[in-house]
């Protein structure tokens, strides 16, 4: 798969709100196959309700607020998650069908599957005997 379908912008602050709040960049793995790309983002402490995924033009944006449960009367003395928010954006190829994006969040891992347009998928050509 020679063509890269997603370009990451790791240093970009995503929105005006993200610029005012300390924001962490989530770690991401991206896998491409013949029909789609799949993106896995590590978002520990982000609930489904506080996660926002947007596509505007050719830009995919992932933002989420961290909410770690603390029992009443207890106070954390150490936390490795220092930013209360995750944000990251990606530039998508025109070969991807953003209308067909599927998203799942399971135990702090976001899985996004973005299908390729039919015309961008490889086609097998049958060769007939002469």
């Amino acid at each position: 798969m020679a063509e890269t379908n997603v370009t990451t912008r790791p240093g970009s602050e995503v929105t005006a709100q993200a610029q005012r709040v300390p924001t962490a960049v989530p770690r991401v793995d991206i896998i491409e196959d013949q029909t789609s790309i799949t993106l896995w983002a590590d978002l520990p402490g982000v609930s489904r309700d506080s996660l926002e995924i947007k596509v505007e033009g050719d830009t995919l944006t992932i933002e989420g607020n961290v909410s770690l449960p603390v029992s009443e009367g207890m106070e954390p003395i150490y936390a490795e998650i220092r930013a209360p928010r995750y944000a990251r954006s990606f530039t998508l190829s025109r070969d991807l069908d953003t209308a067909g994006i599927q998203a799942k969040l399971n135990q702090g891992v976001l899985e996004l599957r973005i299908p390729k347009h039919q015309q961008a998928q490889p086609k097998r050509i049958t060769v007939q005997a002469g």
Side-chain angles (χ1 to χ4, degrees):
M1 322 246 167
E3 184 177 333
T4 302
N5 285 314
V6 176
T7 305
T8 182
R9 291 188 230 162
S12 66
E13 263 47 38
V14 178
T15 63
Q17 182 181 5
Q19 291 176 359
R20 286 177 280 208
V21 176
T23 304
V25 177
R27 296 190 182 267
V28 172
D29 293 323
I30 301 172
I31 306 295
E32 179 180 9
D33 62 26
Q34 291 184 352
T35 62
S36 66
I37 64 166
T38 304
L39 178 146
W40 286 278
D42 293 332
L43 302 167
V46 175
S47 69
R48 187 177 67 105
D49 296 334
S50 67
L51 179 61
E52 186 173 353
I53 303 167
K54 296 185 290 189
V55 175
E56 294 180 39
D58 65 350
T59 302
L60 168 70
T61 303
I62 301 169
E63 299 181 55
N65 293 317
V66 176
S67 58
L68 298 175
V70 178
S71 299
E72 189 175 325
M74 300 189 83
E75 187 176 317
I77 58 171
Y78 177 78
E80 290 196 3
I81 300 174
R82 300 196 187 278
R85 181 171 186 73
Y86 287 104
R88 190 146 181 193
S89 66
F90 303 87
T91 301
L92 301 176
S93 165
R94 294 181 193 267
D95 291 343
L96 298 174
D97 180 8
T98 57
I101 293 177
Q102 297 174 348
K104 296 178 191 173
L105 183 65
N106 186 16
Q107 297 185 8
V109 178
L110 172 65
E111 178 184 349
L112 281 178
R113 184 182 171 282
I114 309 170
K116 293 179 183 177
H117 286 289
Q118 194 67 28
Q119 68 268 19
Q121 296 181 21
K123 294 174 182 64
R124 183 167 178 85
I125 299 170
T126 305
V127 178
Q128 298 180 10

